[in-house]
Amino acid sequence: MNRINWIDWAKAFCMTVVVFCHLPQQEDTFYLQYLASVILSTFFFVSGFLKKKNLTIKESAKKYGYALLIPYIIYNVIYYPYWAAKFYIEHGSITFTDALKPIAGTLLGQLNSSFSCELNGVTWFLIALFIMHILTDVLNKNKHGKTIMLILSVITMILYGANKYYHYAPYITYHGLIRCLCFFFMGNLFQQKGFLQALNLRKDVIIGTSTLLLSLILFYWHINEDRFVLHIILYYVVNFVSVYAFIYLSKSLNNIKSRIITLISIGTMLIFGLHRIMIGVIDYIIEKAIGISNITYDWYECLIIVLVIQIVLLPIIIYQSKWPLLFGKKHNFYQKKAL
């Protein structure tokens, strides 16, 4: 399969912003609130847009089970020693019950409860993506599938608003699923309709910059929660507009080839799975070096740390054939055997 350069730009941008937003920094800044609110919508849109066509339910479960659920387990297993060490440092001891909670939380999809807790919390997106892929394949084979997708999108938007208002389900995977399902459906619909195929630099720049400006203006209104229903409606309007902004700005970069951008795009899952450990280690080293706790960074320091994390992981991405499971791929031995 030939790579689509603007897709690589979109994925690399989204991945960079995700890592940036997970770094400790002043949380009430406008730029951080905006990026944290909109970036996942583009990520899930791209995932829906790239979805493989015409899979049976069995084929879909097998393909995405291997590509998403196995890496989910792997990245949580890798994360566990880091979690245990961090827990021990913070609490001075760790009991058998303490040690079991993140294991239970992982098996239940990063569930926080009286008997479980999230482990590598960011990996919720792998569980959510798996559900979205299976659900989309089921609905694409139904003659009323598009109508059902629309209904489900509206329902999940309402559920997201209700969950934010009442805080009835502090479950990160559920929260992410209902928040982002409509954008996955949207991306898959764009793929089926053949949208975004044409490239026109001037048009892409104009649409990208104008929708980015519009989304920023709308977000400024959105962050006022005094009128909650309007707040939630504007949240989705902002996100839909921001998807157009980031996608068209990525399209405007299609003629610019960059090996690093391609590698970051290819290594999206690896960076997702490991960046929280790397952030934690970097924070700990810096805190010990300068003698402070609960460090926060300025935006430019965050950018430097993001680049460091991505550069450190580049060798693994370059030699991905040695660790295919980290990327949701089968080992060449199994591929040759299948042939």
Side-chain angles (χ1 to χ4, degrees):
M1 179 179 175
N2 293 327
R3 302 198 66 82
I4 304 172
N5 193 43
W6 69 263
I7 290 286
D8 284 336
W9 275 101
K11 289 175 64 181
F13 170 73
C14 289
M15 189 67 260
T16 299
V17 172
V18 166
V19 180
F20 177 88
C21 290
H22 284 157
L23 283 158
Q25 53 193 298
Q26 187 176 338
E27 295 182 356
D28 60 353
T29 55
F30 181 82
Y31 67 83
L32 182 61
Q33 289 180 318
Y34 174 77
L35 291 173
S37 295
V38 304
I39 198 60
L40 285 178
S41 57
T42 301
F43 228 130
F44 278 90
F45 175 90
V46 171
S47 297
F49 187 81
L50 293 175
K51 176 167 176 52
K52 189 173 179 63
K53 301 177 182 178
N54 303 319
L55 291 178
T56 65
I57 307 306
K58 183 177 180 180
E59 289 172 337
S60 184
K62 183 177 180 180
K63 173 180 173 59
Y64 295 112
Y66 198 97
L68 298 171
L69 298 186
I70 291 179
Y72 171 79
I73 297 298
I74 290 173
Y75 285 117
N76 279 278
V77 169
I78 292 173
Y79 195 90
Y80 187 82
Y82 166 79
W83 175 91
K86 182 180 178 182
F87 189 96
Y88 185 84
I89 291 171
E90 292 177 349
H91 297 85
S93 64
I94 182 169
T95 66
F96 182 71
T97 301
D98 293 330
L100 284 180
K101 280 189 174 183
I103 297 174
T106 297
L107 295 176
L108 294 171
Q110 305 304 318
L111 174 65
N112 286 307
S113 69
S114 60
F115 58 85
S116 65
C117 67
E118 68 181 62
L119 184 56
N120 191 355
V122 296
T123 56
W124 69 264
F125 89 101
L126 293 170
I127 300 290
L129 268 180
F130 177 78
I131 295 171
M132 290 178 188
H133 276 290
I134 301 299
L135 184 57
T136 302
D137 282 318
V138 170
L139 294 179
N140 278 336
K141 295 183 183 305
N142 188 297
K143 64 178 181 179
H144 302 298
K146 299 296 183 294
T147 302
I148 298 173
M149 283 184 185
L150 177 60
I151 294 171
L152 284 176
S153 294
V154 173
I155 290 173
T156 51
M157 290 178 193
I158 294 172
L159 287 174
Y160 172 74
N163 189 63
K164 188 171 183 181
Y165 187 80
Y166 292 108
H167 303 286
Y168 61 83
Y171 183 13
I172 189 171
T173 302
Y174 167 78
H175 188 266
L177 179 65
I178 61 174
R179 175 184 175 184
C180 300
L181 180 63
C182 59
F183 301 109
F184 188 91
F185 283 161
M186 178 182 172
N188 189 245
L189 180 63
F190 271 48
Q191 177 213 70
Q192 292 183 43
K193 297 295 184 181
F195 296 160
L196 303 177
Q197 301 300 319
L199 296 169
N200 183 308
L201 179 59
R202 183 179 178 183
K203 178 181 177 181
D204 293 339
V205 169
I206 291 173
I207 293 176
T209 53
S210 60
T211 50
L212 178 60
L213 178 60
L214 178 58
S215 70
L216 287 167
I217 294 171
L218 291 173
F219 184 77
Y220 182 78
W221 294 338
H222 152 76
I223 56 178
N224 183 358
E225 296 188 26
D226 291 344
R227 290 179 289 181
F228 190 78
V229 174
L230 179 62
H231 167 74
I232 292 299
I233 292 172
L234 280 176
Y235 170 81
Y236 278 100
V237 173
V238 167
N239 273 269
F240 280 114
V241 175
S242 72
V243 167
Y244 273 88
F246 297 141
I247 291 300
Y248 276 93
L249 288 174
S250 297
K251 288 180 65 185
S252 71
L253 297 171
N254 190 68
N255 290 329
I256 303 176
K257 304 289 186 180
S258 170
R259 175 65 171 163
I260 292 179
I261 293 299
T262 302
L263 288 172
I264 294 173
S265 175
I266 293 171
T268 292
M269 186 175 294
L270 178 77
I271 299 170
F272 241 124
L274 297 182
H275 77 274
R276 290 303 290 265
I277 296 178
M278 299 180 73
I279 289 174
V281 171
I282 291 170
D283 291 347
Y284 183 77
I285 292 172
I286 294 176
E287 287 173 357
K288 290 299 181 182
I290 63 179
I292 66 169
S293 59
N294 299 319
I295 191 170
T296 58
Y297 304 107
D298 291 321
W299 67 267
Y300 59 89
E301 294 171 322
C302 290
L303 280 179
I304 292 172
I305 293 172
V306 172
L307 292 175
V308 168
I309 289 172
Q310 292 177 335
I311 290 171
V312 167
L313 292 176
L314 283 182
I316 302 177
I317 301 171
I318 291 171
Y319 296 103
Q320 61 176 296
S321 60
K322 297 182 181 296
W323 305 280
L325 290 177
L326 295 176
F327 299 84
K329 298 179 181 179
K330 294 182 179 181
H331 195 281
N332 288 336
F333 170 80
Y334 295 104
Q335 292 177 334
K336 292 176 181 179
K337 189 174 180 180
L339 293 174

